[in-house]
mmCIF file of all heavy atoms in Angstrom:
data_model
loop_
_atom_site.group_PDB
_atom_site.id
_atom_site.type_symbol
_atom_site.label_atom_id
_atom_site.label_comp_id
_atom_site.label_asym_id
_atom_site.label_seq_id
_atom_site.Cartn_x
_atom_site.Cartn_y
_atom_site.Cartn_z
ATOM 1 N N VAL A 51 117.780 112.583 95.103
ATOM 2 C CA VAL A 51 117.459 113.101 96.468
ATOM 3 C C VAL A 51 116.391 112.267 97.184
ATOM 4 O O VAL A 51 116.521 111.906 98.338
ATOM 5 C CB VAL A 51 116.993 114.586 96.341
ATOM 6 C CG1 VAL A 51 116.577 115.115 97.738
ATOM 7 C CG2 VAL A 51 118.077 115.435 95.751
ATOM 8 N N LEU A 52 115.336 111.861 96.428
ATOM 9 C CA LEU A 52 114.248 111.142 97.064
ATOM 10 C C LEU A 52 114.375 109.644 96.953
ATOM 11 O O LEU A 52 113.667 108.871 97.504
ATOM 12 C CB LEU A 52 112.907 111.504 96.416
ATOM 13 C CG LEU A 52 112.558 113.050 96.489
ATOM 14 C CD1 LEU A 52 111.277 113.276 95.837
ATOM 15 C CD2 LEU A 52 112.575 113.509 97.950
ATOM 16 N N GLN A 53 115.322 109.185 96.079
ATOM 17 C CA GLN A 53 115.619 107.842 95.899
ATOM 18 C C GLN A 53 114.437 106.976 95.313
ATOM 19 O O GLN A 53 114.156 105.867 95.753
ATOM 20 C CB GLN A 53 116.194 107.144 97.179
ATOM 21 C CG GLN A 53 117.508 107.782 97.604
ATOM 22 C CD GLN A 53 118.094 107.171 98.915
ATOM 23 O OE1 GLN A 53 117.712 106.081 99.284
ATOM 24 N NE2 GLN A 53 119.015 107.844 99.516
ATOM 25 N N ILE A 54 113.768 107.700 94.463
ATOM 26 C CA ILE A 54 112.648 106.984 93.707
ATOM 27 C C ILE A 54 112.953 107.124 92.250
ATOM 28 O O ILE A 54 113.174 108.219 91.727
ATOM 29 C CB ILE A 54 111.263 107.686 94.041
ATOM 30 C CG1 ILE A 54 111.036 107.695 95.506
ATOM 31 C CG2 ILE A 54 110.202 106.947 93.294
ATOM 32 C CD1 ILE A 54 109.815 108.521 95.930
ATOM 33 N N ASP A 55 113.016 105.976 91.610
ATOM 34 C CA ASP A 55 113.336 105.965 90.185
ATOM 35 C C ASP A 55 112.157 106.269 89.317
ATOM 36 O O ASP A 55 111.207 105.432 89.210
ATOM 37 C CB ASP A 55 113.894 104.610 89.785
ATOM 38 C CG ASP A 55 114.369 104.526 88.394
ATOM 39 O OD1 ASP A 55 114.205 105.526 87.592
ATOM 40 O OD2 ASP A 55 114.973 103.497 87.990
ATOM 41 N N PRO A 56 112.078 107.438 88.636
ATOM 42 C CA PRO A 56 110.935 107.813 87.809
ATOM 43 C C PRO A 56 110.752 106.922 86.594
ATOM 44 O O PRO A 56 109.621 106.774 86.055
ATOM 45 C CB PRO A 56 111.133 109.226 87.472
ATOM 46 C CG PRO A 56 112.551 109.539 87.775
ATOM 47 C CD PRO A 56 113.075 108.525 88.683
ATOM 48 N N ALA A 57 111.783 106.239 86.178
ATOM 49 C CA ALA A 57 111.639 105.298 85.069
ATOM 50 C C ALA A 57 110.727 104.090 85.416
ATOM 51 O O ALA A 57 110.041 103.558 84.627
ATOM 52 C CB ALA A 57 113.009 104.899 84.570
ATOM 53 N N ARG A 58 110.864 103.727 86.684
ATOM 54 C CA ARG A 58 110.094 102.605 87.201
ATOM 55 C C ARG A 58 108.812 102.939 87.934
ATOM 56 O O ARG A 58 107.808 102.173 87.822
ATOM 57 C CB ARG A 58 110.928 101.740 88.159
ATOM 58 C CG ARG A 58 112.043 101.039 87.419
ATOM 59 C CD ARG A 58 112.826 100.033 88.316
ATOM 60 N NE ARG A 58 113.533 100.697 89.335
ATOM 61 C CZ ARG A 58 113.520 100.286 90.642
ATOM 62 N NH1 ARG A 58 112.923 99.209 91.018
ATOM 63 N NH2 ARG A 58 114.264 100.937 91.496
ATOM 64 N N GLU A 59 108.795 104.099 88.573
ATOM 65 C CA GLU A 59 107.634 104.569 89.280
ATOM 66 C C GLU A 59 107.343 106.020 89.055
ATOM 67 O O GLU A 59 107.512 106.867 89.887
ATOM 68 C CB GLU A 59 107.856 104.334 90.870
ATOM 69 C CG GLU A 59 108.071 102.910 91.221
ATOM 70 C CD GLU A 59 108.331 102.799 92.723
ATOM 71 O OE1 GLU A 59 109.509 102.996 93.141
ATOM 72 O OE2 GLU A 59 107.381 102.502 93.484
ATOM 73 N N HIS A 60 106.994 106.291 87.793
ATOM 74 C CA HIS A 60 106.860 107.650 87.365
ATOM 75 C C HIS A 60 105.906 108.526 88.261
ATOM 76 O O HIS A 60 106.198 109.563 88.694
ATOM 77 C CB HIS A 60 106.419 107.763 85.887
ATOM 78 C CG HIS A 60 106.353 109.137 85.283
ATOM 79 N ND1 HIS A 60 105.173 109.868 85.417
ATOM 80 C CD2 HIS A 60 107.264 109.887 84.721
ATOM 81 C CE1 HIS A 60 105.451 111.035 84.877
ATOM 82 N NE2 HIS A 60 106.679 111.067 84.451
ATOM 83 N N ASP A 61 104.622 107.988 88.447
ATOM 84 C CA ASP A 61 103.704 108.781 89.129
ATOM 85 C C ASP A 61 104.022 108.982 90.636
ATOM 86 O O ASP A 61 103.936 110.058 91.149
ATOM 87 C CB ASP A 61 102.276 108.076 89.048
ATOM 88 C CG ASP A 61 101.705 108.079 87.683
ATOM 89 O OD1 ASP A 61 102.170 108.882 86.813
ATOM 90 O OD2 ASP A 61 100.850 107.291 87.399
ATOM 91 N N ARG A 62 104.576 107.948 91.236
ATOM 92 C CA ARG A 62 105.006 107.996 92.626
ATOM 93 C C ARG A 62 106.150 109.015 92.772
ATOM 94 O O ARG A 62 106.131 109.815 93.686
ATOM 95 C CB ARG A 62 105.404 106.630 93.170
ATOM 96 C CG ARG A 62 105.960 106.648 94.504
ATOM 97 C CD ARG A 62 106.304 105.309 95.044
ATOM 98 N NE ARG A 62 106.914 105.412 96.370
ATOM 99 C CZ ARG A 62 108.165 105.024 96.639
ATOM 100 N NH1 ARG A 62 108.929 104.480 95.731
ATOM 101 N NH2 ARG A 62 108.695 105.225 97.803
ATOM 102 N N ALA A 63 107.036 108.953 91.857
ATOM 103 C CA ALA A 63 108.179 109.909 91.900
ATOM 104 C C ALA A 63 107.783 111.326 91.695
ATOM 105 O O ALA A 63 108.196 112.166 92.437
ATOM 106 C CB ALA A 63 109.247 109.509 90.798
ATOM 107 N N ARG A 64 106.920 111.560 90.740
ATOM 108 C CA ARG A 64 106.438 112.932 90.481
ATOM 109 C C ARG A 64 105.644 113.506 91.712
ATOM 110 O O ARG A 64 105.870 114.596 92.152
ATOM 111 C CB ARG A 64 105.586 112.920 89.266
ATOM 112 C CG ARG A 64 104.979 114.257 88.845
ATOM 113 C CD ARG A 64 106.067 115.131 88.324
ATOM 114 N NE ARG A 64 105.630 116.491 88.060
ATOM 115 C CZ ARG A 64 106.153 117.300 87.166
ATOM 116 N NH1 ARG A 64 107.130 116.911 86.391
ATOM 117 N NH2 ARG A 64 105.611 118.470 86.982
ATOM 118 N N ARG A 65 104.756 112.621 92.260
ATOM 119 C CA ARG A 65 103.930 113.037 93.420
ATOM 120 C C ARG A 65 104.817 113.331 94.640
ATOM 121 O O ARG A 65 104.722 114.375 95.356
ATOM 122 C CB ARG A 65 102.964 111.951 93.744
ATOM 123 C CG ARG A 65 102.033 112.213 94.881
ATOM 124 C CD ARG A 65 100.952 111.136 95.093
ATOM 125 N NE ARG A 65 101.430 109.812 95.012
ATOM 126 C CZ ARG A 65 101.262 108.967 94.022
ATOM 127 N NH1 ARG A 65 100.563 109.311 92.963
ATOM 128 N NH2 ARG A 65 101.728 107.702 94.045
ATOM 129 N N ALA A 66 105.816 112.491 94.897
ATOM 130 C CA ALA A 66 106.819 112.704 96.021
ATOM 131 C C ALA A 66 107.583 113.981 95.796
ATOM 132 O O ALA A 66 107.733 114.738 96.694
ATOM 133 C CB ALA A 66 107.674 111.461 96.157
ATOM 134 N N TRP A 67 108.058 114.128 94.555
ATOM 135 C CA TRP A 67 108.906 115.327 94.307
ATOM 136 C C TRP A 67 108.147 116.579 94.438
ATOM 137 O O TRP A 67 108.480 117.534 95.109
ATOM 138 C CB TRP A 67 109.467 115.241 92.880
ATOM 139 C CG TRP A 67 110.186 116.512 92.454
ATOM 140 C CD1 TRP A 67 111.385 116.935 92.825
ATOM 141 C CD2 TRP A 67 109.582 117.492 91.575
ATOM 142 N NE1 TRP A 67 111.630 118.123 92.216
ATOM 143 C CE2 TRP A 67 110.602 118.518 91.410
ATOM 144 C CE3 TRP A 67 108.394 117.658 90.879
ATOM 145 C CZ2 TRP A 67 110.391 119.671 90.652
ATOM 146 C CZ3 TRP A 67 108.173 118.772 90.083
ATOM 147 C CH2 TRP A 67 109.204 119.731 89.963
ATOM 148 N N GLU A 68 106.889 116.602 93.916
ATOM 149 C CA GLU A 68 106.012 117.796 93.973
ATOM 150 C C GLU A 68 105.650 118.128 95.457
ATOM 151 O O GLU A 68 105.744 119.269 95.855
ATOM 152 C CB GLU A 68 104.728 117.627 93.187
ATOM 153 C CG GLU A 68 104.938 117.719 91.683
ATOM 154 C CD GLU A 68 103.650 117.405 90.889
ATOM 155 O OE1 GLU A 68 102.687 116.895 91.473
ATOM 156 O OE2 GLU A 68 103.710 117.650 89.721
ATOM 157 N N SER A 69 105.233 117.100 96.207
ATOM 158 C CA SER A 69 104.804 117.381 97.581
ATOM 159 C C SER A 69 105.918 117.774 98.508
ATOM 160 O O SER A 69 105.792 118.650 99.334
ATOM 161 C CB SER A 69 104.043 116.172 98.155
ATOM 162 O OG SER A 69 104.890 115.077 98.412
ATOM 163 N N HIS A 70 107.091 117.109 98.273
ATOM 164 C CA HIS A 70 108.263 117.441 99.146
ATOM 165 C C HIS A 70 108.829 118.821 98.759
ATOM 166 O O HIS A 70 109.261 119.573 99.667
ATOM 167 C CB HIS A 70 109.336 116.367 99.046
ATOM 168 C CG HIS A 70 108.979 115.166 99.923
ATOM 169 N ND1 HIS A 70 108.112 114.214 99.405
ATOM 170 C CD2 HIS A 70 109.379 114.802 101.137
ATOM 171 C CE1 HIS A 70 108.036 113.312 100.354
ATOM 172 N NE2 HIS A 70 108.690 113.577 101.386
ATOM 173 N N LEU A 71 108.769 119.211 97.499
ATOM 174 C CA LEU A 71 109.282 120.565 97.180
ATOM 175 C C LEU A 71 108.302 121.576 97.659
ATOM 176 O O LEU A 71 108.732 122.645 98.202
ATOM 177 C CB LEU A 71 109.384 120.667 95.623
ATOM 178 C CG LEU A 71 109.858 122.067 95.057
ATOM 179 C CD1 LEU A 71 111.209 122.306 95.724
ATOM 180 C CD2 LEU A 71 109.936 121.964 93.569
ATOM 181 N N ALA A 72 107.019 121.297 97.651
ATOM 182 C CA ALA A 72 106.069 122.223 98.226
ATOM 183 C C ALA A 72 106.211 122.431 99.733
ATOM 184 O O ALA A 72 106.151 123.541 100.223
ATOM 185 C CB ALA A 72 104.546 121.780 97.921
ATOM 186 N N ARG A 73 106.544 121.249 100.359
ATOM 187 C CA ARG A 73 106.806 121.374 101.809
ATOM 188 C C ARG A 73 108.112 122.134 102.068
ATOM 189 O O ARG A 73 108.193 122.872 103.092
ATOM 190 C CB ARG A 73 106.871 119.977 102.363
ATOM 191 C CG ARG A 73 106.898 119.936 103.958
ATOM 192 C CD ARG A 73 105.566 120.535 104.470
ATOM 193 N NE ARG A 73 105.544 120.343 105.935
ATOM 194 C CZ ARG A 73 104.477 120.680 106.691
ATOM 195 N NH1 ARG A 73 103.428 121.239 106.090
ATOM 196 N NH2 ARG A 73 104.508 120.539 107.917
ATOM 197 N N ALA A 74 109.090 121.909 101.266
ATOM 198 C CA ALA A 74 110.320 122.658 101.441
ATOM 199 C C ALA A 74 110.119 124.173 101.327
ATOM 200 O O ALA A 74 110.638 124.981 102.065
ATOM 201 C CB ALA A 74 111.352 122.177 100.423
ATOM 202 N N ARG A 75 109.289 124.529 100.325
ATOM 203 C CA ARG A 75 108.916 125.954 100.150
ATOM 204 C C ARG A 75 108.149 126.448 101.438
ATOM 205 O O ARG A 75 108.338 127.585 101.928
ATOM 206 C CB ARG A 75 108.076 126.156 98.907
ATOM 207 C CG ARG A 75 108.906 125.976 97.673
ATOM 208 C CD ARG A 75 108.012 126.114 96.480
ATOM 209 N NE ARG A 75 108.688 125.831 95.205
ATOM 210 C CZ ARG A 75 108.105 125.214 94.188
ATOM 211 N NH1 ARG A 75 106.885 124.886 94.207
ATOM 212 N NH2 ARG A 75 108.848 125.064 93.088
ATOM 213 N N TRP A 76 107.201 125.686 101.903
ATOM 214 C CA TRP A 76 106.503 126.024 103.102
ATOM 215 C C TRP A 76 107.459 126.238 104.224
ATOM 216 O O TRP A 76 107.251 127.218 105.040
ATOM 217 C CB TRP A 76 105.440 124.937 103.455
ATOM 218 C CG TRP A 76 104.757 125.185 104.764
ATOM 219 C CD1 TRP A 76 103.611 125.954 104.871
ATOM 220 C CD2 TRP A 76 105.102 124.717 106.066
ATOM 221 N NE1 TRP A 76 103.230 125.994 106.208
ATOM 222 C CE2 TRP A 76 104.066 125.239 106.938
ATOM 223 C CE3 TRP A 76 106.029 123.884 106.529
ATOM 224 C CZ2 TRP A 76 104.116 124.974 108.318
ATOM 225 C CZ3 TRP A 76 106.103 123.661 107.908
ATOM 226 C CH2 TRP A 76 105.122 124.123 108.767
ATOM 227 N N MET A 77 108.453 125.461 104.336
ATOM 228 C CA MET A 77 109.452 125.606 105.457
ATOM 229 C C MET A 77 110.109 126.965 105.354
ATOM 230 O O MET A 77 110.403 127.561 106.347
ATOM 231 C CB MET A 77 110.475 124.467 105.407
ATOM 232 C CG MET A 77 109.958 123.116 105.773
ATOM 233 S SD MET A 77 109.551 122.960 107.530
ATOM 234 C CE MET A 77 111.244 123.056 108.229
ATOM 235 N N THR A 78 110.357 127.462 104.144
ATOM 236 C CA THR A 78 111.039 128.702 103.959
ATOM 237 C C THR A 78 110.101 129.915 104.269
ATOM 238 O O THR A 78 110.619 130.956 104.594
ATOM 239 C CB THR A 78 111.720 128.957 102.601
ATOM 240 O OG1 THR A 78 110.686 128.951 101.578
ATOM 241 C CG2 THR A 78 112.646 127.788 102.275
ATOM 242 N N GLU A 79 108.830 129.624 104.097
ATOM 243 C CA GLU A 79 107.829 130.766 104.260
ATOM 244 C C GLU A 79 107.264 130.796 105.650
ATOM 245 O O GLU A 79 106.993 131.876 106.208
ATOM 246 C CB GLU A 79 106.764 130.653 103.212
ATOM 247 C CG GLU A 79 107.271 130.720 101.731
ATOM 248 C CD GLU A 79 106.331 130.189 100.755
ATOM 249 O OE1 GLU A 79 105.183 129.787 101.106
ATOM 250 O OE2 GLU A 79 106.625 130.173 99.522
ATOM 251 N N LYS A 80 106.989 129.620 106.186
ATOM 252 C CA LYS A 80 106.250 129.578 107.520
ATOM 253 C C LYS A 80 106.898 128.592 108.513
ATOM 254 O O LYS A 80 106.879 128.915 109.697
ATOM 255 C CB LYS A 80 104.825 129.207 107.273
ATOM 256 C CG LYS A 80 104.073 130.216 106.436
ATOM 257 C CD LYS A 80 102.658 129.873 106.330
ATOM 258 C CE LYS A 80 102.001 130.992 105.485
ATOM 259 N NZ LYS A 80 100.849 130.582 104.752
ATOM 260 N N GLY A 81 107.310 127.477 108.012
ATOM 261 C CA GLY A 81 107.778 126.446 108.936
ATOM 262 C C GLY A 81 108.971 126.843 109.758
ATOM 263 O O GLY A 81 109.138 126.480 110.940
ATOM 264 N N TYR A 82 109.861 127.721 109.287
ATOM 265 C CA TYR A 82 111.081 128.142 110.002
ATOM 266 C C TYR A 82 110.686 128.852 111.265
ATOM 267 O O TYR A 82 111.334 128.822 112.254
ATOM 268 C CB TYR A 82 111.963 128.994 109.107
ATOM 269 C CG TYR A 82 111.447 130.413 108.969
ATOM 270 C CD1 TYR A 82 111.798 131.424 109.771
ATOM 271 C CD2 TYR A 82 110.495 130.748 107.854
ATOM 272 C CE1 TYR A 82 111.233 132.730 109.639
ATOM 273 C CE2 TYR A 82 110.065 131.983 107.767
ATOM 274 C CZ TYR A 82 110.378 132.994 108.620
ATOM 275 O OH TYR A 82 109.885 134.253 108.473
ATOM 276 N N ARG A 83 109.463 129.482 111.266
ATOM 277 C CA ARG A 83 109.063 130.179 112.474
ATOM 278 C C ARG A 83 108.855 129.297 113.624
ATOM 279 O O ARG A 83 109.129 129.600 114.815
ATOM 280 C CB ARG A 83 107.735 130.922 112.177
ATOM 281 C CG ARG A 83 107.924 132.053 111.216
ATOM 282 C CD ARG A 83 106.602 132.832 110.958
ATOM 283 N NE ARG A 83 106.800 133.746 109.857
ATOM 284 C CZ ARG A 83 105.874 133.884 108.886
ATOM 285 N NH1 ARG A 83 104.824 133.244 108.845
ATOM 286 N NH2 ARG A 83 106.134 134.789 107.976
ATOM 287 N N HIS A 84 108.449 128.028 113.356
ATOM 288 C CA HIS A 84 108.258 127.053 114.375
ATOM 289 C C HIS A 84 109.646 126.714 114.996
ATOM 290 O O HIS A 84 109.724 126.427 116.206
ATOM 291 C CB HIS A 84 107.562 125.800 113.800
ATOM 292 C CG HIS A 84 106.222 126.009 113.312
ATOM 293 N ND1 HIS A 84 105.069 126.112 114.156
ATOM 294 C CD2 HIS A 84 105.766 126.365 112.094
ATOM 295 C CE1 HIS A 84 104.014 126.283 113.421
ATOM 296 N NE2 HIS A 84 104.380 126.473 112.161
#
Side-chain angles (χ1 to χ4, degrees):
V51 176
L52 303 179
Q53 299 181 16
I54 303 172
D55 185 355
R58 291 189 294 135
E59 299 179 277
H60 184 272
D61 293 341
R62 177 177 173 242
R64 182 71 185 207
R65 183 173 45 254
W67 173 76
E68 287 176 347
S69 70
H70 283 81
L71 181 57
R73 191 62 172 184
R75 290 179 185 141
W76 176 84
M77 290 289 292
T78 67
E79 297 164 2
K80 296 183 180 155
Y82 75 92
R83 293 180 188 138
H84 297 275

